[in-house]
């Protein structure tokens, strides 16, 4: 059930449960002159940089680069396999090592050698490139198929029927970050040149009539495509590892999948809402048109959800991305220790 913070902010949680800094952030965004209808705040909203994490911002005539964030196209991919818990051995150590060998993880990690599918996807991205991205990050072509760091993860999960799913969280890696930082600075400089004062400098925007807007959209859509293909490439590698694991031979990869879902939760795209074409920025939210499939991950050790959209018009057909929190990272570090984590993860490979 949605509630109002004001006429320009609808929230899907109790208003008094939103941290004050996040409330102020929502109010700051709602005052921008190009906001369309209202801002939709998801149940997992919390303070973010540029815009509130867990917010859906529809705009006409401008876009806020920092509202998308620096991990452009970050999102989830999930595959339902044909296997069940009973098909797994007691130890998953070999499978974990196999996946870790196939998919580099960590800051700045690259592939030593690209697979045939990754090479094809890399060439597709090169063909679609509108700028010389090699000047931003020469290693981006070799980061396709790499996980990254932070809260990015690969997980084997069981559903309520004990069927095995693979769930993966990642985005556009270093190149998406660099593209975002580049255009955030461009927007901030443009605000200075236009003598536009903002409540938050990170709300600097690009008017649609300006060439800087078109440049950003080209780069943004490219980075979102990179993130989508990056998840596809990693999931293909996991499926290949699973096929070897279960069949001890190649050639069965396509036969083990039942369903595949790939969705962004940090992105912008043009959509039609309330009879008008608008830009919809989802920062920590997924698109959920009626019957559209999506993935809402849990935090480590908690359940994830495979969902179908209801097409709620007031949320601009959106749903939460599953990263709510009750405290900041610094607060968590004060309360929980590494020993607490190790105890919670006991028995998990």
């Amino acid at each position: 059930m949605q509630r109002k913070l004001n006429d320009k902010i609808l929230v899907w949680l109790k208003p008094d449960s939103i941290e004050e800094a996040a409330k102020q952030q929502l109010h700051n965004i709602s005052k921008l002159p190009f906001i369309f209808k209202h801002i939709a705040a998801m149940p997992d909203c919390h303070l973010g940089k540029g815009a509130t994490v867990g917010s859906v911002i529809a705009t006409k005539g401008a876009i806020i680069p920092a509202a998308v964030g620096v991990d452009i196209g970050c999102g989830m991919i999930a595959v339902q396999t044909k296997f069940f818990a009973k098909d797994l051995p007691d130890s998953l150590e070999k499978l974990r090592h196999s996946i870790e060998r196939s998919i580099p993880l960590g800051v700045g990690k690259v592939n030593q050698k690209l697979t045939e599918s990754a090479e094809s996807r890399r060439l597709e991205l090169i063909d679609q490139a509108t700028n010389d991205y090699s000047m931003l990050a020469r290693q981006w072509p070799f980061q396709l198929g790499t996980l990254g760091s932070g809260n990015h993860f690969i997980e084997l999960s069981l559903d309520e029927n004990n069927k095995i799913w693979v769930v993966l969280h990642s985005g556009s890696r270093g190149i998406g970050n660099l593209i975002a930082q580049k255009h955030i600075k461009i927007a901030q400089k443009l605000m200075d040149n236009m003598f536009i004062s903002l409540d938050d400098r990170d709300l600097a925007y690009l008017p649609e009539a300006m060439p800087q807007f078109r440049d950003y959209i080209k780069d943004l859509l490219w980075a979102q495509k990179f993130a989508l293909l990056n998840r596809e490439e990693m999931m293909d590698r996991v499926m290949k590892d699973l096929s070897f694991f279960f069949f001890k031979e190649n050639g069965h990869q396509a036969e083990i999948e039942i369903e595949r879902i790939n969705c962004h939760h940090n992105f912008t795209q043009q959509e039609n809402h309330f009879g008008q074409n608008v830009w919809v920025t989802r920062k920590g939210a997924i698109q959920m048109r009626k019957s559209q499939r999506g993935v809402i991950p849990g935090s480590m050790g908690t359940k994830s959800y495979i969902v179908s959209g209801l097409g709620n018009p007031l949320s601009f057909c959106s749903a939460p991305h599953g990263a709510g929190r009750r405290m900041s990272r610094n607060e968590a570090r004060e309360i929980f220790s590494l020993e607490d984590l190790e105890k919670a993860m006991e028995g998990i490979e």
Side-chain angles (χ1 to χ4, degrees):
M1 177 181 176
Q2 75 275 1
R3 298 172 172 87
K4 282 187 177 183
L5 277 187
N6 61 32
D7 288 340
K8 298 287 284 185
I9 307 170
L10 291 184
V11 300
W12 272 259
L13 70 167
K14 293 179 180 178
D16 59 7
S17 68
I18 305 174
E19 56 192 322
E20 287 304 315
K23 277 186 187 176
Q24 186 59 54
Q25 197 170 51
L26 288 168
H27 283 295
N28 291 344
I29 302 167
S30 72
K31 289 188 287 184
L32 294 170
F34 49 84
I35 297 298
F36 177 74
K37 294 289 185 182
H38 57 265
I39 298 168
M42 300 291 100
D44 56 358
C45 74
H46 56 269
L47 182 68
K49 184 174 174 60
T52 314
V53 178
S55 61
V56 182
I57 307 167
T59 59
K60 286 202 73 172
I63 284 181
I64 310 164
V68 183
V70 295
D71 195 355
I72 297 172
C74 186
M76 302 297 304
I77 186 169
V79 165
Q80 180 187 15
T81 76
K82 72 174 189 179
F83 301 112
F84 291 85
K86 64 180 177 59
D87 299 315
L88 293 169
D90 291 336
S91 174
L92 296 177
E93 183 178 7
K94 287 184 178 179
L95 179 58
R96 176 175 62 80
H97 283 306
S98 178
I99 293 172
E100 288 176 346
R101 285 193 300 270
S102 298
I103 301 172
L105 65 156
V107 177
K109 291 295 184 180
V110 298
N111 295 286
Q112 296 302 312
K113 183 180 179 182
L114 289 175
T115 65
E116 186 176 336
S117 59
E119 179 64 21
S120 174
R121 287 166 172 145
R122 182 184 75 90
L123 292 174
E124 181 181 349
L125 287 163
I126 289 174
D127 287 342
Q128 295 175 354
T130 57
N131 283 325
D132 183 7
Y133 294 129
S134 63
M135 297 301 292
L136 285 172
R138 296 185 183 278
Q139 64 188 17
W140 76 257
F142 302 98
Q143 287 192 325
L144 191 73
T146 66
L147 187 65
S149 61
N151 60 358
H152 293 172
F153 67 85
I154 304 168
E155 178 180 279
L156 260 66
S157 305
L158 299 177
D159 67 16
E160 63 272 29
N161 298 314
N162 275 329
K163 186 159 280 188
I164 298 170
W165 287 72
V166 179
V167 183
L168 188 156
H169 175 215
S170 191
S172 54
R173 302 291 280 108
I175 186 62
N177 187 317
L178 289 168
I179 287 172
Q181 297 285 5
K182 169 188 169 183
H183 289 284
I184 290 170
K185 290 175 182 176
I186 289 172
Q188 291 173 339
K189 184 176 180 181
L190 187 63
M191 295 294 96
D192 292 340
N193 293 342
M194 297 174 68
F195 302 103
I196 294 175
S197 178
L198 299 165
D199 291 321
D200 182 349
R201 185 167 171 78
D202 283 324
L203 293 180
Y205 56 88
L206 299 171
E208 197 162 359
M210 307 289 281
Q212 293 93 330
F213 177 94
R214 295 189 291 275
D215 291 342
Y216 175 59
I217 290 299
K218 288 178 182 178
D219 286 357
L220 173 81
L221 296 179
W222 183 90
Q224 289 175 181
K225 182 68 174 292
F226 182 99
L228 193 81
L229 293 180
N230 187 38
R231 289 193 293 274
E232 293 285 355
E233 175 62 28
M234 285 188 283
M235 187 58 76
D236 284 353
R237 295 183 192 182
V238 176
M239 290 298 106
K240 186 175 181 180
D241 287 332
L242 280 177
S243 71
F244 275 106
F245 187 72
F246 286 110
F247 298 118
K248 312 302 180 189
E249 58 181 281
N250 199 4
H252 295 273
Q253 181 176 333
E255 298 176 16
I256 69 176
E257 289 192 36
I258 294 176
E259 179 181 14
R260 180 180 287 214
I261 306 164
N262 195 349
C263 59
H264 296 319
H265 54 223
N266 285 348
F267 68 112
T268 293
Q269 63 185 14
Q270 201 164 39
E271 300 174 13
N272 188 280
H273 293 277
F274 301 99
Q276 297 191 48
N277 292 327
V278 295
W279 290 98
V280 179
T281 297
R282 293 182 179 88
K283 185 184 182 75
I286 59 175
Q287 185 184 35
M288 279 278 93
R289 300 186 307 270
K290 187 154 182 73
S291 301
Q292 182 177 0
R293 298 285 268 170
V295 186
I296 302 178
S299 57
M300 186 184 292
T302 62
K303 295 177 181 178
S304 297
Y305 295 87
I306 304 300
V307 295
S308 293
L310 298 176
N312 187 326
L314 292 177
S315 72
F316 300 101
C317 298
S318 304
H321 81 318
R325 69 183 191 203
R326 295 183 180 275
M327 64 191 75
S328 70
R329 289 181 176 87
N330 286 334
E331 286 176 305
R333 289 189 184 101
E334 292 294 323
I335 295 173
F336 299 104
S337 67
L338 180 59
E339 289 72 25
D340 293 324
L341 173 64
E342 289 172 343
K343 184 178 180 180
M345 297 297 290
E346 189 174 345
I348 297 174
E349 180 60 48

